[in-house]
Amino acid sequence: MGNRGKIESILKKYGWIEKSKIGENTVQHTDLNFIETYFPQFKKLTERGEANPRQCATMQDRILMWKGKKQIYGTQASNLLRPDKRYAIWPIENPRDVNEIRFKSGFNTTVEENAALLKAEYDPSEKLPTAQN
């Protein structure tokens, strides 16, 4: 059984476990179905202070991106937005207020600084990709 199998068996048995019991590591890099299954538990724990709000925001943005929707926190970049395949920050639902939203969720960088860290371009008016891209 690989790491994912072990994690999934723990989550099925116990649900998402509070950070006070296991620390703040989360599962971010897996498939949409897996993340969507356990995200509601993770979000509830975040609201109770038992999970990392930045990791929750990142997971929520990843779900939205994978579903072809605009993200909230500006944590995700993709090479699917531009014909030349350069990395760009995935479109954001509310670009005018994204930095305030980020700071309220515990991020200490702006979306512009995050873009630089990800070596991605940031255009507040970025559009969602179309089927032709």
Side-chain angles (χ1 to χ4, degrees), residues 74-77 87-89 102 107-122:
T75 64
Q76 302 299 300
Y87 272 87
I89 296 296
R102 286 176 63 82
F107 290 97
N108 58 8
T109 59
T110 65
V111 70
E112 294 83 2
E113 291 166 333
N114 187 49
L117 291 169
L118 295 173
K119 296 180 175 49
E121 297 178 14
Y122 173 59

Side-chain angles (χ1 to χ4, degrees), residues 32 57-73 90 93 128:
L32 176 61
T58 300
M59 191 179 292
Q60 186 168 12
D61 274 357
R62 186 166 287 130
I63 291 169
L64 291 167
M65 181 180 75
W66 284 348
K67 291 178 128 186
K69 298 178 180 180
K70 292 183 177 184
Q71 62 180 321
I72 298 167
Y73 304 94
W90 190 261
E93 185 66 40
L128 289 169

Side-chain angles (χ1 to χ4, degrees), residues 24-107:
E24 291 191 358
N25 291 330
T26 62
V27 177
Q28 291 282 347
H29 299 281
T30 188
D31 62 77
L32 176 61
N33 185 50
F34 184 84
I35 289 179
E36 275 192 310
T37 299
Y38 296 102
F39 179 73
Q41 294 174 24
F42 186 57
K43 187 168 180 152
K44 284 181 184 177
L45 289 176
T46 300
E47 291 165 357
R48 290 189 0 229
E50 281 291 348
N52 184 306
R54 291 179 311 280
Q55 291 174 347
C56 186
T58 300
M59 191 179 292
Q60 186 168 12
D61 274 357
R62 186 166 287 130
I63 291 169
L64 291 167
M65 181 180 75
W66 284 348
K67 291 178 128 186
K69 298 178 180 180
K70 292 183 177 184
Q71 62 180 321
I72 298 167
Y73 304 94
T75 64
Q76 302 299 300
S78 174
N79 68 346
L80 301 175
L81 298 165
R82 309 278 169 85
D84 62 6
K85 302 297 183 192
R86 287 179 299 166
Y87 272 87
I89 296 296
W90 190 261
I92 297 171
E93 185 66 40
N94 187 350
R96 189 186 75 217
D97 296 327
V98 69
N99 288 326
E100 181 181 341
I101 293 167
R102 286 176 63 82
F103 292 133
K104 285 181 180 177
S105 295
F107 290 97

